[in-house]
Amino acid sequence: MALLEVRNIEAYYGAAVALRGVSLDVAQGTMVAVLGANGAGKTTLLKTITGALDPRAGSVTFNGVEIQGRETWDVAALGIAHVPEGREVFRHLSVEENLRMGAYRRSDSDEVEKDLQAVYDYFPRLRERGRQHAGLLSGGEQQMVAIGRAVMGRPSLMLLDEPSLGLSPLLVQEIFHIIRRLAAERGTTMLLVEQNANIALSVSDIGYVLEVGRIVLTGPSRELAENPDVREFYLGVRDAGVRGTRRWRRKKQWR
Ligand SMILES: Nc1ncnc2c1ncn2[C@@H]1O[C@H](COP(=O)(O)OP(=O)(O)O)[C@@H](O)[C@H]1O
Ligand SMILES: [Mg+2]
């Protein structure tokens, strides 16, 4: 049994279908990446896991327990933290207040202080900016706040919605390096959705490719990074000798 099991999720916005029977597994202690272009359904997928959106069909189990249909606070209380698309920090609160918000459910105040220091050790820039309003930070720093806030809840699973969005390549490297460390050092299982296939495949163990609401390909991230179709469509690399019918046939096969 995987820590998180998503089975045949169908999600709609009104009459428009966004997910057409999506299934995936996230094993304990792994980092799984879902790759997809803008509009593929990545955010919708995470929302069906957090309880923010009720799918029309399908199930989501966490630790073997059905969580589909539960409220977001209930899902969060089980140990699933969501780092939403576009960061969503509390702009008028200080960096430290934002981080403490992530621990509001906890009563082990000594451990909360330790975790706050741990977040500052992971993100030294946030320690320097602890008293500043989060709204005054750069996009990269706000992304750090959003990740740090999730860490403060001591989740067993973190859902990360496009942490690379709008950040410089250097900052993307820095933030993903820390995400990797959080996974390794704190044992946090990670489900990441990304348009940036390059970085997502370089840090994750398993990858899924989502195209217009459907999983079309999955495998170990290292293998996906070598897959000619993934290279062409998601990594922007065109390998010599790989084109035309082979690609087309494969795509037909996926669907
Ligand atoms: N609130 C909404 N109302 C109607 N359609 C939506 C809404 N949110 C997303 N969609 C549509 O659902 C599809 C998937 O969107 P989304 O999950 O946000 O994709 P991604 O995160 O991969 O960019 C898109 O076609 C998008 O236009
Ligand atoms: Mg999105």
Side-chain angles (χ1 to χ4, degrees), residues 34 39 52 104 108 145 185 203 214:
V34 175
Y104 78 95
D108 53 340
V145 171
E185 296 167 10
V203 298
R214 253 192 207 107

Side-chain angles (χ1 to χ4, degrees), residues 13 34 36 38 41-47 50 81-88 143 146-147 158-166 176 179 191-195:
Y13 293 102
V34 175
N38 196 17
K42 303 181 297 299
T43 296
T44 304
L45 172 63
L46 294 189
K47 284 183 174 172
T50 64
H82 182 208
V83 181
E85 184 173 46
R87 1 256 190 230
E88 294 183 15
Q143 187 64 64
I147 295 168
M158 267 173 73
L159 310 175
L160 296 149
D161 196 339
E162 298 212 51
S164 80
L165 204 65
F176 275 80
I179 291 171
L191 174 60
L192 164 75
V193 305
E194 262 296 343
Q195 276 186 68

Side-chain angles (χ1 to χ4, degrees):
M1 179 190 79
L3 179 64
L4 182 79
E5 295 184 352
V6 173
R7 290 290 173 271
N8 300 315
I9 288 288
E10 286 172 29
Y12 287 75
Y13 293 102
V17 61
L19 298 176
R20 308 158 186 261
V22 169
S23 298
L24 61 84
D25 282 355
V26 182
Q28 172 85 49
T30 62
M31 190 180 301
V32 171
V34 175
L35 316 177
N38 196 17
K42 303 181 297 299
T43 296
T44 304
L45 172 63
L46 294 189
K47 284 183 174 172
T48 64
I49 297 169
T50 64
L53 185 80
D54 282 330
R56 191 173 288 186
S59 90
V60 181
T61 61
F62 181 63
N63 266 324
V65 175
E66 180 64 56
I67 61 168
Q68 201 280 299
R70 294 196 188 208
E71 300 294 332
T72 50
W73 55 266
D74 196 6
V75 172
L78 290 171
I80 301 181
H82 182 208
V83 181
E85 184 173 46
R87 1 256 190 230
E88 294 183 15
V89 300
F90 300 97
R91 302 181 64 84
H92 298 292
L93 296 185
S94 72
V95 166
E96 185 158 325
E97 287 165 335
N98 267 275
L99 294 175
R100 289 187 182 281
M101 292 287 283
Y104 78 95
R105 256 181 237 93
R106 297 173 57 182
S107 51
D108 53 340
S109 47
D110 290 355
E111 293 296 307
V112 169
E113 294 314 307
K114 273 191 209 163
D115 283 346
L116 182 64
Q117 294 312 315
V119 168
Y120 283 150
D121 290 341
Y122 282 106
F123 300 107
R125 297 186 196 207
L126 297 189
R127 179 176 274 128
E128 292 163 25
R129 303 212 186 329
R131 290 176 195 284
Q132 292 184 10
H133 279 182
L136 298 175
L137 303 185
S138 71
E141 289 162 347
Q142 289 185 8
Q143 187 64 64
M144 294 174 189
V145 171
I147 295 168
R149 188 176 60 199
V151 170
M152 290 299 291
R154 281 209 181 164
S156 43
L157 173 67
M158 267 173 73
L159 310 175
L160 296 149
D161 196 339
E162 298 212 51
S164 80
L165 204 65
L167 305 186
S168 72
L170 211 61
L171 211 44
V172 169
Q173 288 293 339
E174 183 181 335
I175 283 180
F176 275 80
H177 178 66
I178 294 167
I179 291 171
R180 191 69 250 182
R181 281 183 55 206
L182 286 167
E185 296 167 10
R186 298 178 68 93
T188 314
T189 305
M190 305 269 184
L191 174 60
L192 164 75
V193 305
E194 262 296 343
Q195 276 186 68
N196 185 335
N198 211 358
I199 189 78
L201 288 177
S202 75
V203 298
S204 60
D205 305 297
I206 301 289
Y208 288 84
V209 177
L210 184 65
E211 281 184 3
V212 270
R214 253 192 207 107
I215 301 288
V216 293
L217 191 63
T218 183
S221 300
R222 222 174 274 141
E223 286 174 23
L224 285 186
E226 298 300 316
N227 179 296
D229 302 307
V230 173
R231 288 172 68 78
E232 180 168 350
F233 291 108
Y234 293 95
L235 303 176
V237 187
R238 176 159 243 173
D239 299 316
V242 180
R243 54 194 327 165
T245 55
R246 178 172 161 199
R247 180 183 88 216
W248 177 79
R249 215 180 302 127
R250 284 201 177 196
K251 271 201 93 69
K252 289 281 277 197
Q253 204 180 314
W254 293 351
R255 279 162 195 281

